[in-house]
Amino acid sequence: MNVFLNKWYKNHALGYKILLYLVTTLFIVYLFPKTGKFRYSFEKSKPWQSENLYAPFNFAIKKTNEEIEKEKAEIESQSPVYFDVNKEVEREVLVKYSNRFKQVFEDSSAYSIKNSNLYKEGKSIVEKVYKLGILDLEYSYNNERNVVLVISNKVQNELQYGSLNELGDLRQLIEKLLPNNLSVDAKNRMISIYFDVIKPNISLNKSLTEKVLEEELSKISLTRGQIEKDQLIVSKGQVIEEDQYDILNSLKSEYESHVWNTKNYNWVLVAYTLLVALALLMLLLFLQKYRIEVFLDNTKVTFIFFNIALMILLTTLVINFNSQYIYVVPLCILPLVLKAFFDARLGLFAHVLTVLLLGFIVPNSYEYMFLQIIAGMVTILTVSELYKRANLFISVGQITFIYIIAYFAFFVIHEGQLTGIKWETFGLFVLCGLATLFVQPLIYIYEKIFGLVSDVSLLELSDTNTKLLKELSNRAPGTFHHSLNVANLAEASANEIGANAMLVRVGALYHDIGKMKNPTYFTENQSTGINPHDELSSKESAKIIIEHTLNGIEIAKKNKLPDRVIDFIRTHHGTSLVYYFYIKEKVNNELVDIADFTYPGPKPFSKETAILMMCDSVEAASKSLKEPTSTKINEFVENIINKQMEAGQFLNADITFKEIQSIKKVLKHKLANIYHLRIEYPE
C-alpha cells in the first residue's frame, strides 16, 4: 500500500492530467448530438458532389415543416366549433318578460286595448331571438366557420358562425323584428324591456372543440410517398431540386433518428469519444514537446482545457437554440486569450483543434471550419500588445472584415450570383466582433481565478508609482536606480531576439526587491562611505547577499506578485558564486565550503530569465569600469557573459548561442551610450 501511495505521490501531476483529459473528453462527447452524422453534405439547387446515391433501405419521404403547418392551418380553419345551448335561459327570460311588460305598460292608457296584441308580438320576438340563441362573448371566428349547437350533450343543429346572434347586435335585431306601426314611445319601452331581460344562452364548449380538433390533427400523415431500397435518389453532378432535397433530408433524418439511435448508438458514442480523445491527445503531446513548462503546470493545462470546453459549450447552446446564430459565438476569443497568457503558436494550435471538434456538430461544417480557422489565423497575426486598447479594436475590425469577405466568397461559389444574399449574416459577424471585445474583462477574470498574468497586468506592474516600487525607491534608492537601468537593458535585449519585452522589463524592476530588508549591505545603497561588511566575516556577508533572493520571494508573495514575475527574483543569480567574499574567505581558510557562497538557484529556465541574468550582471559590474572605452566595454561584456555560459547557467533556458551573441551586441551598444563614448580624434 505504501509503495502504491509513494508512486501516486510522485506521479500525481500526471494522474491529474489523465483525469482532466478523460473528464474533458467525456464532457465534450456529452455535448455532441446523440446521433450519428450523415456522411453527405448537400444544399438545395446545388450540384450533388458525391457518387450516385441509391437508397440503402426502404424509407418514407417526410413532409417539410411548411407542408405540415399548412395542413394544420387548413384543418383548424375547417374544424367545427361546438357551443352549448342552455334552454332554461329562454324559459327564464319569458317569465321575466311577462312581469316586466306589465310594469312598463301599466300606466299607459294609449295601449289599454292593444296591449294584449303587443304582448304577444313581444313574446314572439323573444322566441325568434332564442331560436338560434345569443352568444355569451364575441368570438373571433370567421362567419363561414362551421358551428355545432349542443343541447344536453346531444347535437341539436349545425350552421355557420355568422348565423348566431351576439349581444352587441341585440338592439339592431330587436328593431328589425318590432312592428313598424309602433309609436316611438312604445318602441323604446319594448327595447328597454328586452335589454332588461334578455341574456346569453350559448357558450363555447372549449374542451369538446379542442378534442375534435386534436383528433383531426392526429390524422395528419407526416410522410408522403415511399422510396424503395436500391432506388436511385440522385446522380453525381445532378442539381438537387426541391423533391430530391426532401428525399435527401428524409434519408438523413432516418439515419440520425432511427438507424443510429436504435442499432448503432453505442458505437457512435465510442467513435465520437475516440475522435475527441485523439484531438485532445494531440494538444497534450504538443504541450509536452514544445511547451514543457506549460505541460508541467497543472493549472495552465486546466486553463487551456477549460477554454476549449467552454467554446464548445457556447457553440452547442447556440446550435440548440437556433443554428442561424452560430457565427455570433466569438470563437476568436480562444486564440486571443491563449496568446495573452502563453504564446501565438499555442493559441493557434488550440483554436484549430477546437474548430475541428466543432465540425462534428455545426451545419455546413466545411464552410464553418474554413471561416473560423482563417479568422483564428488573422487573430494571431494581427493582435499584438493586447494591453493597448486601440490594437484590440483594430484587430477586431480586421477579423470581422475577414469573416465578411470569406462568407461573401462562399455565397457566390454556392449561388453563382449575388441576389438572395443574406445581409443579416453580416450583422451576425459584426455582433461576433463586438462580443470579441469582451476578451479584456475576461482576461482580468481569468487572472484572478487561475493566478495567471497577462501583458495588461504586466503594464500595471511596470508603473514605477506602484506601492512596492515606491517603497524600494525610498528604502534602497541605489537598488531602485540599478533596477531601472537593468530594465532598460533587458527590454532592449528582449526586443532584439523576439522575447517578451514587457515581461522581462517587469521582472527586472522587481528582481532586487529583497534588498529592501538590508539595503546598506549592498554597495549601490552605501552613500556614507561606511561598509557594514567590514564588521562581518566573509561567510556572514555572503549569507546576507545570498538571502536577498529569498527575501525578495517572500516580499513578492506577500504583495501578491504573479509567479511569472517571482521567477525572475528566483533565478536572476542562478547558481552563481558570491565571488568576492568567496575569494576573501579562501585567503584565510583553504577548506572553505563553496556551497556557503553559492546562490540556491534555480538556473534561468526561459529566454526572459536568462536575459535578466546577463543584464543584471553586466549593469552591476559596469560600475567598476574606470575610464571605459569601446574596447574595454566589449571585453567586459564578453568576459561576464562567457563566464556565465561556462558555468552552465543557461543550460535550462531555451536560448540559442546566436541569441546570446545578439544580446551581447545590444549590451555593448547600450553601455557605450550610457558612458557617452565618442570617437577619439587625433590631436
Side-chain angles (χ1 to χ4, degrees):
M1 185 65 179
N2 289 333
V3 174
F4 173 77
L5 291 175
N6 288 333
K7 285 186 177 179
W8 170 253
Y9 179 77
K10 290 179 181 178
N11 300 294
H12 72 279
L14 180 60
Y16 174 81
K17 291 183 183 68
I18 294 173
L19 179 62
L20 176 67
Y21 170 73
L22 294 176
V23 170
T24 307
T25 300
L26 294 176
F27 177 73
I28 293 174
V29 171
Y30 172 77
L31 294 176
F32 280 2
K34 305 300 183 291
T35 63
K37 189 172 179 66
F38 192 53
R39 61 179 295 188
Y40 301 105
S41 296
F42 56 90
E43 291 185 63
K44 187 189 294 186
S45 302
K46 302 295 185 302
W48 177 256
Q49 301 294 338
S50 304
E51 67 278 2
N52 293 354
L53 179 62
Y54 296 89
F57 44 75
N58 297 337
F59 66 93
I61 304 172
K62 293 187 176 182
K63 295 178 181 177
T64 63
N65 291 333
E66 291 76 12
E67 290 175 322
I68 294 174
E69 291 300 321
K70 185 178 179 181
E71 286 189 33
K72 285 183 178 180
E74 187 175 352
I75 289 174
E76 287 176 0
S77 65
Q78 296 177 356
S79 178
V81 182
Y82 289 81
F83 286 92
D84 291 323
V85 179
N86 189 347
K87 282 295 183 179
E88 291 296 325
V89 172
E90 183 179 355
R91 286 191 283 270
E92 292 175 6
V93 170
L94 287 172
V95 173
K96 290 181 179 179
Y97 166 77
S98 180
N99 296 332
R100 187 60 180 153
F101 185 87
K102 293 176 182 177
Q103 294 174 0
V104 170
F105 286 100
E106 66 180 352
D107 62 341
S108 177
S109 58
Y111 290 96
S112 57
I113 301 173
K114 300 179 182 179
N115 277 351
S116 58
N117 293 331
L118 183 57
Y119 171 79
K120 291 177 182 178
E121 289 180 5
K123 184 178 179 181
S124 173
I125 289 173
V126 172
E127 292 170 348
K128 289 178 182 179
V129 168
Y130 281 104
K131 183 176 181 180
L132 294 177
I134 299 176
L135 292 167
D136 58 344
L137 297 172
E138 292 185 8
Y139 297 95
S140 57
Y141 298 117
N142 187 282
N143 285 338
E144 285 76 32
R145 186 70 175 268
N146 292 331
V147 170
V148 177
L149 299 182
V150 179
I151 302 175
S152 300
N153 295 327
K154 293 181 180 180
V155 174
Q156 179 71 15
N157 196 7
E158 294 185 15
L159 64 164
Q160 292 183 333
Y161 178 78
S163 303
L164 299 175
N165 300 315
E166 295 179 348
L167 277 173
D169 300 329
L170 183 60
R171 184 183 186 92
Q172 182 180 356
L173 177 63
I174 292 171
E175 288 180 346
K176 184 178 179 182
L177 294 174
L178 283 172
N180 294 327
N181 59 352
L182 282 180
S183 65
V184 175
D185 176 62
K187 185 178 292 187
N188 289 336
R189 291 190 184 196
M190 290 297 292
I191 291 173
S192 69
I193 291 172
Y194 291 129
F195 271 98
D196 289 339
V197 301
I198 288 179
K199 62 180 182 178
N201 70 328
I202 297 179
S203 59
L204 177 66
N205 190 328
K206 189 175 182 181
S207 61
L208 182 57
T209 301
E210 291 179 351
K211 182 180 179 181
V212 172
L213 177 60
E214 288 176 3
E215 289 177 356
E216 292 296 322
L217 292 176
S218 65
K219 297 177 183 177
I220 295 177
S221 174
L222 300 180
T223 62
R224 53 174 176 81
Q226 179 86 5
I227 299 296
E228 301 297 329
K229 183 179 179 181
D230 296 328
Q231 180 179 336
L232 178 64
I233 297 175
V234 61
S235 303
K236 184 175 181 179
Q238 183 180 355
V239 176
I240 301 173
E241 302 296 342
E242 186 171 354
D243 289 343
Q244 291 167 320
Y245 183 74
D246 292 341
I247 294 172
L248 289 170
N249 271 326
S250 299
L251 179 59
K252 178 181 178 181
S253 176
E254 192 71 20
Y255 261 101
E256 294 178 350
S257 64
H258 176 67
V259 176
W260 293 115
N261 281 348
T262 57
K263 297 181 180 178
N264 300 322
Y265 179 68
N266 293 332
W267 284 109
V268 171
L269 287 181
V270 170
Y272 271 143
T273 304
L274 287 174
L275 292 174
V276 174
L278 184 63
L280 295 181
L281 180 62
M282 294 303 102
L283 178 59
L284 285 176
L285 292 176
F286 173 85
L287 294 176
Q288 186 183 38
K289 186 172 179 64
Y290 299 106
R291 299 294 182 272
I292 188 63
E293 73 282 359
V294 177
F295 180 80
L296 295 175
D297 191 327
N298 282 343
T299 301
K300 292 178 180 178
V301 175
T302 303
F303 175 75
I304 295 169
F305 275 65
F306 171 79
N307 277 276
I308 292 174
L310 179 63
M311 287 297 138
I312 294 175
L313 173 62
L314 289 176
T315 306
T316 305
L317 292 175
V318 171
I319 290 174
N320 291 338
F321 173 72
N322 191 335
S323 60
Q324 292 182 353
Y325 300 119
I326 190 171
Y327 288 110
V328 174
V329 180
L331 205 63
C332 288
I333 281 182
L334 179 62
L336 273 175
V337 168
L338 295 183
K339 183 180 179 182
F341 289 114
F342 305 109
D343 60 85
R345 190 175 178 186
L346 174 56
L348 183 59
F349 192 89
H351 177 73
V352 171
L353 281 182
T354 305
V355 173
L356 290 176
L357 290 174
L358 289 173
F360 291 119
I361 61 175
V362 297
N364 300 324
S365 56
Y366 175 77
E367 177 182 327
Y368 176 85
M369 291 164 63
F370 184 91
L371 284 173
Q372 296 294 3
I373 290 175
I374 289 294
M377 291 179 177
V378 172
T379 302
I380 293 297
L381 294 173
T382 60
V383 177
S384 59
E385 298 179 326
L386 193 59
Y387 56 87
K388 295 181 179 179
R389 290 172 295 179
N391 287 358
L392 179 60
F393 279 96
I394 293 171
S395 297
V396 166
Q398 292 171 333
I399 294 166
T400 305
F401 180 71
I402 291 298
Y403 270 129
I404 292 173
I405 291 296
Y407 173 78
F408 175 81
F410 268 110
F411 184 86
V412 172
I413 290 172
H414 290 161
E415 300 293 335
Q417 57 184 358
L418 294 179
T419 56
I421 193 168
K422 297 179 180 178
W423 298 104
E424 60 271 16
T425 306
F426 295 153
L428 297 181
F429 292 138
V430 174
L431 289 176
C432 178
L434 295 176
T436 305
L437 295 175
F438 183 69
V439 70
Q440 284 283 21
L442 187 63
I443 287 174
Y444 176 79
I445 294 170
Y446 280 154
E447 286 178 335
K448 299 304 178 184
I449 295 176
F450 291 93
L452 301 172
V453 59
S454 68
D455 286 349
V456 179
S457 294
L458 292 176
L459 180 65
E460 295 173 355
L461 291 171
S462 67
D463 184 3
T464 55
N465 289 315
T466 59
K467 180 182 177 182
L468 193 55
L469 291 181
K470 277 276 190 183
E471 186 179 356
L472 178 64
S473 65
N474 292 330
R475 296 178 62 179
T479 299
F480 178 71
H481 182 70
H482 159 73
S483 298
L484 287 176
N485 289 337
V486 174
N488 292 331
L489 293 174
E491 185 177 17
S493 301
N495 284 325
E496 182 69 20
I497 66 171
N500 191 331
M502 179 64 70
L503 177 61
V504 77
R505 178 175 182 82
V506 173
L509 289 173
Y510 290 90
H511 79 284
D512 270 343
I513 57 174
K515 292 181 179 180
M516 286 194 294
K517 194 166 185 178
N518 297 299
T520 57
Y521 284 87
F522 300 90
T523 55
E524 67 265 23
N525 299 313
Q526 295 171 0
S527 58
T528 60
I530 299 173
N531 190 346
H533 288 288
D534 295 338
E535 300 177 1
L536 301 175
S537 66
S538 298
K539 190 174 180 179
E540 289 173 330
S541 294
K543 182 181 178 183
I544 292 174
I545 298 297
I546 290 171
E547 281 183 346
H548 88 273
T549 58
L550 301 176
N551 294 332
I553 293 170
E554 183 181 345
I555 293 170
K557 288 185 176 180
K558 185 178 179 181
N559 286 271
K560 298 180 179 179
L561 290 184
D563 288 339
R564 290 177 75 186
V565 177
I566 295 176
D567 287 340
F568 288 91
I569 302 172
R570 234 183 236 114
T571 61
H572 74 278
H573 283 295
T575 56
S576 60
L577 192 66
V578 185
Y579 190 74
Y580 175 82
F581 290 109
Y582 173 70
I583 296 299
K584 186 178 178 182
E585 179 69 16
K586 199 170 184 180
V587 171
N588 301 321
N589 181 11
E590 287 292 333
L591 301 176
V592 61
D593 186 359
I594 195 172
D596 294 332
F597 297 86
T598 304
Y599 282 96
K603 295 177 181 179
F605 48 80
S606 66
K607 287 181 183 179
E608 290 76 16
T609 51
I611 289 170
L612 177 62
M613 186 179 197
M614 289 183 254
C615 295
D616 180 43
S617 301
V618 168
E619 203 285 330
S622 68
K623 298 295 190 291
S624 63
L625 281 174
K626 295 178 181 179
E627 298 180 1
T629 63
S630 295
T631 303
K632 281 185 178 181
I633 289 174
N634 291 347
E635 292 176 352
F636 165 77
V637 172
E638 290 284 347
N639 184 43
I640 289 178
I641 296 179
N642 287 342
K643 282 184 177 179
Q644 290 175 337
M645 293 173 64
E646 290 169 4
Q649 296 297 329
F650 306 133
L651 291 178
N652 297 333
D654 58 339
I655 191 167
T656 64
F657 181 75
K658 182 179 180 181
E659 289 171 334
I660 293 175
Q661 292 301 112
S662 299
I663 292 169
K664 287 180 181 178
K665 183 179 178 182
V666 171
L667 293 176
K668 293 171 185 176
H669 177 70
K670 287 290 182 182
L671 287 177
N673 289 337
I674 290 172
Y675 289 105
H676 305 289
L677 298 179
R678 293 184 174 86
I679 299 172
E680 295 183 6
Y681 295 97
E683 295 182 358

